[in-house]
Amino acid sequence: QVQLVESGGGLVQAGGSLRLSCVDSGRASAAGGVGWFRQAPGKEREFVAAIGWNSGSTKTADSVKGRFTISRDSAKNTVYLQMNSLKPEDTAVYYCAAGPWISIVTVGSANYWGQGTQVTVSS
C-alpha cells in the first residue's frame, strides 16, 4: 500500500558528494517525519538524519554533522540527503523510513522502510 523508494547511491571517491532521494509515493510522511538510516557489513543499523514533514526541523547524527544535510520537497513528496566530504567509513546501505518524528528520532523505529541504496566511498 505504501512504498518508499531510495535512489542516488553509487561509488564515489573520498571527498566527493552524492545526493540520495527518497520518494514517498504513499504519503507515509504524513505520519510526521522521514529519516535516513544506514547499515554497514558487521555493524548495527544507525541513525543518520531526520526531518519533520511540516515543521522542517532536522536532526543529524554527530558522525555526519556538518557534512550531510537532509531536506524535503513537499510538492514532490521527496526527501533528500545531500552527502558532502564523503569518507570511506560512510560506506553502507542507506535506508529511508517514514513514521512519527518522535519515534524516528528517539528510538529509531518507523512505520515504513525502503529497500535501501548502496553507497560506496573509495580511498
Side-chain angles (χ1 to χ4, degrees):
Q1 184 177 30
V2 177
Q3 289 189 339
L4 298 175
V5 181
E6 304 99 333
S7 63
L11 173 65
V12 298
Q13 297 183 64
S17 298
L18 283 174
R19 188 180 72 162
L20 306 184
S21 300
C22 175
V23 179
D24 178 10
S25 58
R27 289 183 171 269
S29 56
V34 176
W36 286 97
F37 297 80
R38 67 186 183 185
Q39 187 167 26
K43 300 278 190 176
E44 296 295 318
R45 186 178 64 204
E46 65 174 334
F47 171 81
V48 176
I51 186 167
W53 191 255
N54 292 324
S55 69
S57 61
T58 61
K59 180 180 180 180
T60 56
D62 290 341
S63 60
V64 304
K65 194 166 295 182
R67 299 187 298 120
F68 291 10
T69 302
I70 189 170
S71 63
R72 52 118 166 81
D73 185 330
S74 297
K76 296 180 178 179
N77 288 117
T78 301
V79 172
Y80 303 99
L81 184 68
Q82 179 66 46
M83 306 186 295
N84 298 325
S85 301
L86 282 162
K87 305 174 181 179
E89 45 265 52
D90 294 318
T91 296
V93 177
Y94 284 70
Y95 301 89
C96 69
W101 164 264
I102 191 170
S103 297
I104 293 173
V105 172
T106 60
V107 300
S109 65
N111 299 125
Y112 308 102
W113 295 83
Q115 291 298 115
T117 185
Q118 177 72 47
V119 172
T120 303
V121 184
S122 65
S123 60

